[in-house]
């Protein structure tokens, strides 16, 4: 019905709350371009979600634009995918409000992300942080998405979205498609370079642990030189005993398409210095074309604007149809 193509539809939202990391590139973004062959994909920069935590306005603008450009540079063709910014499609706020009225205080109180974030931001436990899952449900349900790719931390939000959709459908008939979470084929799980027991993350306290997708080559090389290893001085995969070296091997393997045996052979008899330098170089070369293309796209503001405007228009058409149905069902008068 809403979906003109016969492909199943995917919707995913990404918060422009920090700079993109090597971990998110290797673990997720890198695999997205290929999805467009099989699915009708919508990718949204969830800037409205991001302001549930206080932001520096200029920084939020910079990150949002940079990420639009970076996703395209990573191979997300804006012709084949619908790439848009959440605040450009007012239907999100509109359906978000309606769904607030079909989401229970008790359910929202049980969300682990709300509990975590309100414990972390005690000076700003705002209503948006609390109703965040209803807005996210609106994001998904507006597009009648079949599948929602999410990491483990967002699964509970997809669950509550399903509950809200089922509740609404139970009252008004089949308005919303009830979506499924989609766990994409496992990308690499990249760990921090400075504390390889934990995931590489932009919120890592030690900034040497996290490599950013658009970082300067010299900074990337420096971070890899400082990467934590062990005292064995042997390049060998052993996740448990050698988490640092194994993580570097994992990264090198994804960059060069070589398996662990080949990597062990390549560095047999070499010290960690050579190995870390080689991994750093491989990452620099992998990211170079992406960084250059991102910079090229950002330099032409008008062309970039044309892309996200077109995305917003396409998204608005789909979202508007669902919103119209919902307004009618709940008893609003047609303007
Ligand atoms: N809450 C998600 C996150 O923080 C981002 C998000 C917003 C999202 N809306 C969405 C993800 C809709 C999937 C679908 O990662």
């Amino acid at each position: 019905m809403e979906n003109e193509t016969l492909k199943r539809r995917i919707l995913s939202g990404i918060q422009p709350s920090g700079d993109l990391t090597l971990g998110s590139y290797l673990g997720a973004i890198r695999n997205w371009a290929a999805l467009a062959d099989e699915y009708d994909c919508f990718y949204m920069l969830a800037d409205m979600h991001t302001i549930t935590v206080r932001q520096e306005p200029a920084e939020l603008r910079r990150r949002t634009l940079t990420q639009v450009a970076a996703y395209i540079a990573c191979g997300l063709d804006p012709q084949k995918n619908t790439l848009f910014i959440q605040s450009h499609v007012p239907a999100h706020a509109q359906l978000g409000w309606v769904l607030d009225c079909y989401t229970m205080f008790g359910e929202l109180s049980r969300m682990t992300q709300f509990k975590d974030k309100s414990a972390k931001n005690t000076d700003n436990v705002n209503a948006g942080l609390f109703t965040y899952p209803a807005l996210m449900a609106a994001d998904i349900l507006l597009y009648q998405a079949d599948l929602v790719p999410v990491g483990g931390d967002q699964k509970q939000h997809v669950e509550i979205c399903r509950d809200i959709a089922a509740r609404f459908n139970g009252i008004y008939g089949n308005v919303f498609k009830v979506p499924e979470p989609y766990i994409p084929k496992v990308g690499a799980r990249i760990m921090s370079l400075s504390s390889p027991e934990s995931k590489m993350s932009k919120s890592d306290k030690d900034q040497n642990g996290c490599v950013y997708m658009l970082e300067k080559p010299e900074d990337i090389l420096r971070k890899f030189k400082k990467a934590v290893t062990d005292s064995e001085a042997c390049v060998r995969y052993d996740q448990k005993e050698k988490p640092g070296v194994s993580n570097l091997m994992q990264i090198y393997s994804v960059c060069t398409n070589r398996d662990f045996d080949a990597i062990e052979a390549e560095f047999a008899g070499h010290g960690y210095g050579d190995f870390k330098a080689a991994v750093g170089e491989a990452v620099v070369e992998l990211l170079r074309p992406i960084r250059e293309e991102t910079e090229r796209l950002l330099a032409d503001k008008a062309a970039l604007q044309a892309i996200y405007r077109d995305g917003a228009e396409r998204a608005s058409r789909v979202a508007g149809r669902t919103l119209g149905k919902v307004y009618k069902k709940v008893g609003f008068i047609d303007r």
Side-chain angles (χ1 to χ4, degrees):
M1 33 170 209
E2 267 73 18
N3 196 341
E4 293 91 14
T5 69
L6 292 172
K7 290 174 178 172
R8 295 211 291 163
R9 184 171 285 158
I10 279 186
L11 176 123
S12 196
I14 314 100
Q15 284 201 52
S17 54
D19 289 326
L20 298 167
T21 69
L22 175 67
S24 50
Y25 176 66
L26 295 181
I29 305 169
R30 202 169 65 107
N31 304 318
W32 291 351
L35 289 175
D37 296 331
E38 207 177 328
Y39 301 101
D40 181 22
C41 298
F42 285 67
Y43 296 101
M44 171 188 83
L45 271 300
D47 56 349
M48 290 166 66
H49 279 90
T50 302
I51 63 161
T52 53
V53 174
R54 208 62 85 221
Q55 302 293 319
E56 177 62 50
E59 262 299 289
L60 179 58
R61 261 191 293 274
R62 179 191 67 77
R63 288 195 305 258
T64 306
L65 274 187
T66 305
Q67 290 189 24
V68 173
Y71 291 130
I72 300 168
C74 289
L76 279 192
D77 179 345
Q79 301 296 319
K80 293 193 198 150
N81 300 271
T82 304
L83 199 56
F84 68 102
I85 297 169
Q86 185 181 29
S87 61
H88 288 179
V89 182
H92 291 258
Q94 294 168 306
L95 183 62
W97 172 255
V98 174
L99 295 185
D100 277 347
C101 304
Y102 294 80
T103 306
M104 299 302 133
F105 184 88
E107 295 179 289
L108 291 173
S109 313
R110 286 192 290 275
M111 292 289 118
T112 45
Q113 183 178 289
F114 173 69
K115 290 193 246 176
D116 290 352
K117 284 198 179 171
S118 51
K120 264 191 217 148
N121 304 287
T122 44
D123 54 340
N124 186 20
V125 185
N126 60 71
L129 200 57
F130 188 64
T131 60
Y132 179 118
L135 178 61
M136 179 159 158
D139 299 338
I140 298 166
L141 300 177
L142 278 173
Y143 299 93
Q144 308 287 350
D146 297 279
L147 299 169
V148 184
V150 279
D153 65 321
Q154 295 296 319
K155 258 183 141 167
Q156 201 182 24
H157 289 159
V158 178
E159 279 308 313
I160 196 175
C161 170
R162 289 168 52 86
D163 293 343
I164 297 168
R167 178 175 304 140
F168 198 93
N169 287 349
I171 306 172
Y172 301 105
N174 260 340
V175 179
F176 296 128
K177 170 131 228 167
V178 181
E180 305 279 341
Y182 172 73
I183 312 300
K185 269 187 229 100
V186 273
R189 188 173 149 82
I190 304 301
M191 313 305 278
S192 158
L193 299 187
S194 53
S195 43
E197 312 73 38
S198 46
K199 220 175 102 180
M200 179 179 284
S201 155
K202 58 198 171 199
S203 44
D204 202 328
K205 274 175 219 74
D206 183 351
Q207 277 304 301
N208 284 319
C210 181
V211 171
Y212 294 96
M213 247 176 72
L214 306 174
E215 211 168 353
K216 289 203 288 287
E218 57 267 35
D219 293 336
I220 297 178
L221 292 174
R222 180 177 44 79
K223 288 182 177 179
F224 275 97
K225 271 189 196 132
K226 286 201 181 143
V228 166
T229 49
D230 52 61
S231 55
E232 193 196 22
C234 172
V235 176
R236 157 173 91 74
Y237 194 84
D238 182 341
Q239 184 108 58
K240 239 194 166 141
E241 299 299 321
K242 299 164 69 70
V245 169
S246 301
N247 184 42
L248 293 172
M249 287 178 74
Q250 171 77 260
I251 296 172
Y252 194 63
S253 166
V254 199
C255 293
T256 60
N257 276 322
R258 263 173 254 180
D259 64 18
F260 295 149
D261 287 342
I263 298 170
E264 284 176 18
E266 181 180 347
F267 293 98
H270 287 261
Y272 286 153
D274 289 353
F275 175 53
K276 292 200 282 189
V279 182
E281 294 288 351
V283 169
V284 165
E285 289 319 312
L286 181 78
L287 295 179
R288 184 189 302 284
I290 297 170
R291 179 173 43 82
E292 289 175 354
E293 179 63 3
T294 304
E295 283 165 3
R296 194 189 66 73
L297 288 159
L298 282 171
D300 190 347
K301 292 277 182 295
L304 192 61
Q305 186 183 44
I307 291 173
Y308 59 72
R309 271 195 183 159
D310 178 57
E313 258 159 46
R314 271 153 44 197
S316 293
R317 273 199 294 278
V318 178
R321 282 198 287 271
T322 303
L323 184 70
K325 265 192 208 166
V326 169
Y327 271 18
K328 206 178 212 162
K329 292 285 188 188
V330 300
F332 292 168
I333 289 173
D334 196 354
R335 195 171 67 170

